[in-house]
Amino acid sequence: DAKTTQPPSMDCAEGRAANLPCNHSTISGNEYVYWYRQIHSQGPQYIIHGLKNNETNEMASLIITEDRKSSTLILPHATLRDTAVYYCIVSLWVNTGTASKLTFGTGTRLQVTL
Amino acid sequence: GAVVSQHPSWVICKSGTSVKIECRSLDFQATTMFWYRQFPKQSLMLMATSNEGSKATYEQGVEKDKFLINHASLTLSTLTVTSAHPEDSSFYICSAMRQNKNIQYFGAGTRLSVL
């Protein structure tokens, strides 16, 4: 699986948009970009994933560059409850039913402040 | 939807005893479940991949005789830490992959403390 690079930490004011970058310059054509977050002492929470098109759901938006070498997770209106470690992970999507592994890096610690 | 329940949430045991952790997918069937371990201030490390009805696949360096995994049904996988020692104290987290979705949904984790 391709390696990802994320800034170790970021701050964001409550109510503002949080933009979390991720570099994955060695991503291959059949690898998806997944975002998870882990709030302290809990299991990771799935946020969103995408291949090459931008994606949006009720939690966040995912913007993937045209060359797919980087992406940005956007939390449109951050709240204090969004304070967590955010992981950007690149993983294969295998349609044969074989599950793909997730390799967690160190992520970005997002601190949302008043 | 996509709820994964993990039990117990924390356990304290004496050195030498065995501890069983359960992972259940409550509202979906999971052909594959994963077990991770997380030490303080570190990231999650995959221990093993468990497929329903077959033997688990362990990551390099993980002792399969120490960490017994059973995945007997499409909604339940168990991890048994046998003869636990203080160095096994960690945060154990399971995940379940929703069929044909290739998204892993995680349990809340089990904090194991071995005295």
Side-chain angles (χ1 to χ4, degrees), chain A residues 15-29:
Chain A
R16 306 296 289 267
N19 298 286
L20 291 90
C22 179
N23 285 320
H24 31 79
S25 59
T26 60
I27 193 170
S28 62

Side-chain angles (χ1 to χ4, degrees), chain A residues 34 36 38 41-46 49 87 91-95 97-107, chain B residues 31-32 34 36 38 42-46 49 51 59 91 93 97 100-109 111:
Chain A
Y34 292 81
Y36 284 80
Q38 186 177 26
S41 296
Q42 297 181 26
Q45 178 187 22
Y46 165 77
H49 75 284
Y87 297 99
S91 183
L92 283 171
W93 180 298
V94 183
N95 289 325
T98 304
S100 300
K101 299 179 186 180
L102 295 178
T103 301
F104 284 80
T106 52
Chain B
T31 50
T32 305
F34 300 83
Y36 296 80
Q38 185 176 32
Q42 295 186 22
S43 192
L44 282 78
M45 295 295 292
L46 179 66
T49 302
N51 289 296
E59 295 299 300
F91 190 48
I93 311 168
M97 190 186 81
N100 301 320
K101 291 287 187 182
N102 214 30
I103 296 172
Q104 290 186 36
Y105 295 95
F106 287 79
R111 191 159 302 282

Side-chain angles (χ1 to χ4, degrees), chain A residues 15-81:
Chain A
R16 306 296 289 267
N19 298 286
L20 291 90
C22 179
N23 285 320
H24 31 79
S25 59
T26 60
I27 193 170
S28 62
N30 55 355
E31 288 182 312
Y32 280 67
V33 180
Y34 292 81
W35 283 84
Y36 284 80
R37 72 181 181 184
Q38 186 177 26
I39 296 169
H40 184 62
S41 296
Q42 297 181 26
Q45 178 187 22
Y46 165 77
I47 301 173
I48 199 167
H49 75 284
L51 180 63
K52 53 184 177 182
N53 296 323
N54 297 337
E55 302 287 343
T56 296
N57 62 20
E58 64 279 3
M59 288 184 69
S61 294
L62 174 60
I63 309 298
I64 303 174
T65 57
E66 194 169 342
D67 63 8
R68 302 210 322 123
K69 292 185 177 182
S70 65
S71 61
T72 301
L73 178 74
I74 301 173
L75 307 179
H77 304 287
T79 70
L80 296 177
R81 286 180 293 183

